[in-house]
Amino acid sequence: MTSAVLQDQGIRPLVLVIMGVSGCGKTTLASGLHNLLGWPYQEGDLLHPKANVEKMAAGIPLTDADRMPWLERCHDWLKQRVESGQGGILTCSALKRSYRDILRADAPGIVFVYLEIPPDILKARLERRRGHYMPPSLLPSQLATLEPPTPDEHPVVVTLEETPADMIAKTIGILQERYPE
């Protein structure tokens, strides 16, 4: 996409981390933002080491030690995008503040977009999802690990919307207001 698309949306190039527990809509939002803004997009799940994927597929929650190589890969991608100055979008659960601190280390200006959705809706979404290694049985461990971003982290908080289009539009509106071109 061209820079004209960026100008049409009225948002300066940003590096976004679309965060939240599994099933909250990270991929849907990231794909929609990528299509509208034209910024490079990386699905964070694809950066997990094979051992992590196998562990989750077996219904075993990841430990902080398990997550470290994945967080480092995510950080490296984010840092490259910050250095490029051209924006970027990464999906990453970023469940704990300490994980977010790793992601934003030496990569100033990263914006965390937190998707806040009620647990009952998350559970229903995970039960309907096919072809993903994350089983619904791991949702309680993710919710127990979750430390929602605090105001001092300046997150963009997006709550459940009626449709994916509504969620994307709401996020674009917040970004236009906070980060005008």
Side-chain angles (χ1 to χ4, degrees):
M1 299 223 154
T2 66
S3 61
V5 173
L6 299 174
Q7 291 172 354
D8 290 346
Q9 295 299 327
I11 304 166
R12 69 176 183 253
L14 300 167
V15 178
L16 305 175
V17 175
I18 311 301
M19 64 163 288
V21 297
S22 187
C24 70
K26 294 184 295 290
T27 298
T28 299
L29 178 58
S31 296
L33 293 174
H34 168 70
N35 289 337
L36 287 171
L37 300 169
W39 301 339
Y41 162 45
Q42 173 64 55
E43 179 64 48
D45 283 346
L46 298 177
L47 299 176
H48 267 295
K50 184 179 177 187
N52 284 8
V53 174
E54 290 170 353
K55 198 170 183 180
M56 287 184 283
I60 303 168
L62 297 180
T63 65
D64 285 354
D66 294 328
R67 287 186 179 97
M68 195 55 60
W70 172 62
L71 291 167
E72 289 170 355
R73 289 177 180 176
C74 290
H75 167 267
D76 292 346
W77 189 87
L78 290 166
K79 187 173 180 183
Q80 289 173 353
R81 296 313 317 153
V82 167
E83 290 171 353
S84 79
Q86 298 174 352
I89 303 165
L90 172 77
T91 57
C92 176
S93 56
L95 296 175
K96 290 184 179 182
R97 184 182 186 122
S98 62
Y99 302 165
R100 295 187 293 276
D101 289 343
I102 291 167
L103 295 172
R104 68 177 142 239
D106 301 320
I110 291 174
V111 176
F112 288 88
V113 179
Y114 171 52
L115 300 181
E116 191 173 56
I117 298 184
D120 58 325
I121 293 172
L122 289 168
K123 184 175 186 283
R125 286 182 176 187
L126 287 175
E127 289 171 349
R128 286 191 309 267
R129 186 161 65 176
R130 301 288 175 251
H132 194 278
Y133 58 78
M134 178 75 173
S137 63
L138 288 181
L139 180 60
S141 73
Q142 284 212 330
L143 292 171
T145 302
L146 178 65
E147 297 171 1
T150 56
D152 66 306
E153 294 181 85
H154 309 287
V156 170
V157 179
V158 180
T159 56
L160 179 66
E161 295 294 329
E162 290 294 317
T163 68
D166 292 337
M167 183 172 63
I168 293 163
K170 180 177 182 177
T171 304
I172 289 284
I174 294 169
L175 294 173
Q176 287 169 333
E177 182 180 305
R178 287 196 196 174
Y179 305 99
E181 189 162 35

